[in-house]
Amino acid sequence: MYRIWPDPDPTPLDDAALTALYEHTGPGIRMNFVTSVDGAVEIEGRSAGLGNPADKLVFGLLRQYPDGLLVGAGTVRVEGYNAVRLDEQRRAWRSARGLDPYPRLIVISRRLDLDPTYKAFTEAPRRPVVLTSRTAPPDRVTALSAVADVLAHGDDQVDLGAAVADLRDRGIGTILSEGGPHLFGSLTAADLVDEVCLTVSPLLAGPGAGRITAGPPSGVRDLALAHVLCADDALLLRYVRP
Ligand SMILES: NC(=O)c1ccc[n+]([C@@H]2O[C@H](COP(=O)([O-])OP(=O)(O)OC[C@H]3O[C@@H](n4cnc5c(N)ncnc54)[C@H](OP(=O)(O)O)[C@@H]3O)[C@@H](O)[C@H]2O)c1
């Protein structure tokens, strides 16, 4: 993997160089997605078919920085999320900066159709957070409260502004979101997206799949390009709030 913008440099980027390029100090929300060249968010229902070694490497690296790892219930259900794990080197990097060794998993869901026996909950190194709304089914709130802190904001959909402020008050200010599209759409609509890391995989997925964003239309927002990396025909783009 090497940098093609800014300051093109054919020297392969090692872990230290990548760590510096993706430093995320927050507070704020960074999104991470992978897409095909023709804009697909999944192949046969999952993101795995879009991935490549460089994307996997950056996917893992991005988990090193945040206080919280935010993901939509749809992605948890489809992708079979495991508990957040970081290797010893990444945990040491965090501890040296006064961070907890692990980010907390934060799952957002209005319906709470989430099994409390998911490994993402039962094997979590830190107690996860579930963000929901005040109309969530009470029996589901009770079931999930056994394995997570359940926080309710908003009457129907989660009031994302209030939820993010609450998380910040709880020490979760720097957030990485791994999607999916409906969560990205609602974060964009609430103007809460500060950064987008996007891998463009050298694939044509063909028609059928959705985009990386979904939901009702909202306003157009500008982004500024922070860097472009290249690896094996894939592009790794980092865009930030201007
Ligand atoms: N290419 C990539 O990088 C990537 C990344 C992630 C996911 N994906 C793909 O995306 C697909 C899943 O798409 P998706 O749109 O269903 O994923 P999603 O955004 O993770 O999940 C949508 C669900 O999250 C909850 N949610 C999101 N925003 C909410 C809000 N503001 N308030 C309350 N609940 C909210 C709702 O859960 P409830 O229904 O439980 O109420 C909603 O149905 C899968 O095929 C997955 O593989 C791809």
Side-chain angles (χ1 to χ4, degrees):
M1 194 169 352
Y2 61 95
R3 187 172 61 214
I4 54 179
W5 194 92
D7 307 323
D9 185 350
T11 313
L13 293 160
D14 61 13
D15 196 68
L18 283 170
T19 298
L21 272 171
Y22 279 99
E23 178 107 39
H24 185 208
T25 46
I29 299 182
R30 162 189 273 177
M31 308 297 307
N32 185 35
F33 276 99
V34 58
T35 181
S36 62
V37 170
D38 54 356
V41 71
E42 44 86 4
I43 292 178
E44 294 175 356
R46 312 221 3 211
S47 57
L50 293 165
N52 52 62
D55 176 64
K56 283 196 184 74
L57 196 154
V58 170
F59 182 93
L61 171 66
L62 296 188
R63 288 183 165 192
Q64 171 173 301
Y65 308 98
D67 302 315
L69 179 60
L70 172 65
V71 64
T75 297
V76 171
R77 289 188 287 257
V78 169
E79 300 274 352
Y81 254 61
N82 279 317
V84 180
R85 293 273 175 248
L86 291 180
D87 66 25
E88 198 178 329
Q89 181 193 330
R90 303 227 181 278
R91 294 199 305 274
W93 186 96
R94 291 174 62 89
S95 298
R97 283 153 185 81
L99 300 171
D100 190 275
Y102 293 97
R104 283 180 79 179
L105 179 69
I106 307 159
V107 183
I108 182 165
S109 171
R110 185 179 62 82
R111 296 182 297 126
L112 293 186
D113 179 15
L114 293 163
D115 189 337
T117 67
Y118 282 158
K119 284 183 183 169
F121 294 125
T122 57
E123 295 181 6
R126 295 292 177 274
R127 191 170 164 83
V129 174
V130 173
L131 294 178
T132 192
S133 65
R134 286 184 282 272
T135 47
D139 60 323
R140 305 302 308 154
V141 173
T142 304
L144 285 162
S145 295
V147 290
D149 293 340
V150 181
L151 310 177
H153 292 283
D155 292 326
D156 181 28
Q157 293 297 299
V158 173
D159 178 337
L160 289 168
V164 167
D166 186 4
L167 290 173
R168 197 171 294 176
D169 289 346
R170 292 166 191 266
I172 306 173
T174 306
I175 294 173
L176 168 67
S177 177
E178 294 176 351
H182 280 92
L183 175 57
F184 188 21
S186 47
L187 287 168
T188 301
D191 194 18
L192 287 168
V193 176
D194 299 296
E195 185 171 330
V196 180
C197 294
L198 178 66
T199 300
V200 181
S201 282
L203 295 169
L204 291 176
R211 292 170 52 202
I212 62 171
T213 191
S218 63
V220 173
R221 293 168 210 291
D222 292 327
L223 290 171
L225 185 61
H227 72 224
V228 181
L229 313 183
C230 185
D232 298 329
D233 296 325
L235 290 179
L236 293 99
L237 313 172
R238 182 181 175 207
Y239 285 96
V240 296
R241 191 189 279 278

